[in-house]
Amino acid sequence: MSDHSLDLATVVRRFGAAYQQQMGPHLLPSQRRALRDLAACMTAQLGGRYYHCADCQTRFWTYHGCRNRACPKCHGRQTAAWLRQRQAEMLPCHYFHLVATVPAELRPLCQRHQKLLYGLLMTITTQAVADLAAQRRHLGARVGLLAVLHTWTGALQLHPHVHWLATGGGVTPDGHRWHAAPKRFLLPVKRLSRLIRERFAAALRHDHPELFAQVPASAWTQPWCTWCKPFGHGAAAVLTYLARYVFRIAMTNRRLLHMDDTHVTFQHLVRATGAWRQERLPGVTFLGRFLLHVLPKGFHKVRYYGLW
């Protein structure tokens, strides 16, 4: 199959049973649910609505979507409604885009304890941003933060990281004044990186020493990748960010290029060069990579802090 009709649901229908047989009891409930939902998405299995045109006498069915959050087809209306709600909350200030990434040594542990470590990552990193911004030497104010968890690279490898949208300013501790940040600087990223690493290590050591013991010591001595850059001013720039990051999933249908009886070919952007690269994987391997990024049931990958 090598046309625009190829989608993720078709790949799941072709290789899903083989993947489940290979994984057996090691398949997580959230992953099993995603396979089931995507295979049934927009098919008669989920029911639908029957339409009849009185003018041309055309009759057809429109089937329901699965609404699984890992499905690339099901969230158009929800996305549009969510963006309209956020537009009403935009402040007339400039914004910053921040990212923090865990080192490679922690990724296997994140994969085995998703809800715990992803939640810890979002909470600790966001509190570190808020605490640095609140210090008088930097901003001395309470900022608004929208945090989004991503877990993938373009090639679907595991790469947990948090994106934030931060207001370029905040409310002073007395609650009466707005303190604007400089246009090009919000807080020092090297200090932020060190603070996140220290707090993550302390939380894991104190609350989950058995997990802390599984992390190589090098994870706590190397710099954690963190960066911050100005994003823009006003609602238009902010909504561009939200549309790009908040509802993105690991694989979109337009990146799927070809499928045969054994393999799937997809494309991904190489950030270092800006060029698109094609990758061909056995279908079961492709599904395994995709399912790495299906989050546990009840986990909130979008969270709001501070003024937000």
Side-chain angles (χ1 to χ4, degrees):
M1 180 177 294
S2 179
D3 54 46
H4 295 297
S5 65
L6 179 60
D7 59 14
L8 191 57
T10 306
V11 176
V12 171
R13 294 180 197 120
R14 174 70 60 85
F15 300 107
Y19 182 79
Q20 292 187 67
Q21 183 177 8
Q22 176 177 302
M23 293 299 295
H26 300 292
L27 192 64
L28 298 176
S30 57
Q31 297 171 339
R32 195 179 302 276
R33 173 69 181 269
L35 289 175
R36 183 176 72 247
D37 288 351
L38 266 67
C41 188
M42 296 186 179
T43 68
Q45 184 176 343
L46 296 182
R49 295 185 178 184
Y50 184 66
Y51 291 91
H52 172 217
C53 177
D55 294 329
C56 67
Q57 302 304 312
T58 300
R59 302 169 186 267
F60 61 93
W61 279 92
T62 297
Y63 296 116
H64 296 316
C66 65
R67 301 188 70 181
N68 190 293
R69 60 177 170 176
C71 179
K73 293 190 295 188
C74 280
H75 302 288
R77 292 182 180 178
Q78 178 189 10
T79 301
W82 188 90
L83 289 174
R84 286 194 298 270
Q85 294 168 2
R86 300 292 80 76
Q87 186 174 21
E89 300 167 357
M90 294 300 103
L91 298 176
C93 66
H94 57 287
Y95 284 79
F96 288 85
H97 179 196
L98 301 92
V99 179
T101 305
V102 299
E105 291 86 345
L106 269 169
R107 293 170 195 167
L109 200 65
C110 289
Q111 182 180 348
R112 296 193 298 270
H113 305 275
Q114 294 178 336
K115 184 170 285 189
L116 171 65
L117 293 188
Y118 289 161
L120 193 63
L121 175 65
M122 295 192 75
T123 301
I124 286 178
T125 55
T126 306
Q127 192 59 56
V129 173
D131 289 348
L132 281 182
Q135 294 181 11
R136 292 187 61 184
R137 70 174 71 179
H138 302 309
L139 182 62
R142 185 186 186 208
V143 296
L145 293 167
L146 185 150
V148 186
L149 175 72
H150 281 184
T151 62
W152 57 84
T153 67
L156 298 180
Q157 302 287 4
L158 189 65
H159 183 64
H161 57 285
V162 180
H163 292 267
W164 298 282
L165 187 66
T167 54
V171 175
T172 54
D174 61 15
H176 297 301
R177 292 179 295 116
W178 175 264
H179 190 181
K183 296 288 185 181
R184 308 294 302 178
F185 179 82
L186 180 64
L187 46 81
V189 292
K190 288 185 178 180
R191 189 174 180 201
L192 175 62
S193 173
R194 187 167 60 251
L195 185 61
I196 291 172
R197 183 189 64 196
E198 292 171 353
R199 290 186 176 183
F200 200 99
L204 207 58
R205 184 189 299 112
H206 182 270
D207 297 328
H208 305 279
E210 74 287 356
L211 299 183
F212 181 82
Q214 300 177 37
V215 181
S218 57
W220 314 121
T221 57
Q222 64 179 290
W224 287 28
C225 182
T226 306
W227 57 264
C228 174
K229 68 177 182 179
F231 197 83
H233 185 280
V238 174
L239 290 178
T240 299
Y241 166 86
L242 296 177
R244 286 181 58 194
Y245 286 95
V246 172
F247 288 96
R248 182 180 293 176
I249 62 171
M251 174 57 62
T252 58
N253 288 331
R254 63 183 178 83
R255 290 174 54 203
L256 294 169
L257 302 178
H258 181 79
M259 182 181 71
D260 55 31
D261 290 338
T262 59
H263 284 70
V264 174
T265 303
F266 66 99
Q267 63 179 352
H268 61 89
L269 184 66
V270 180
R271 298 294 179 184
T273 63
W276 286 91
R277 177 182 176 183
Q278 293 187 15
E279 188 159 353
R280 185 171 184 263
L281 296 174
V284 170
T285 302
F286 172 84
L287 284 184
R289 283 200 195 177
F290 169 73
L291 291 171
L292 284 175
H293 314 293
V294 172
L295 296 174
K297 181 179 180 180
F299 186 90
H300 294 276
K301 74 169 188 175
V302 182
R303 304 185 185 189
Y304 310 86
Y305 301 86
L307 297 181
W308 223 313

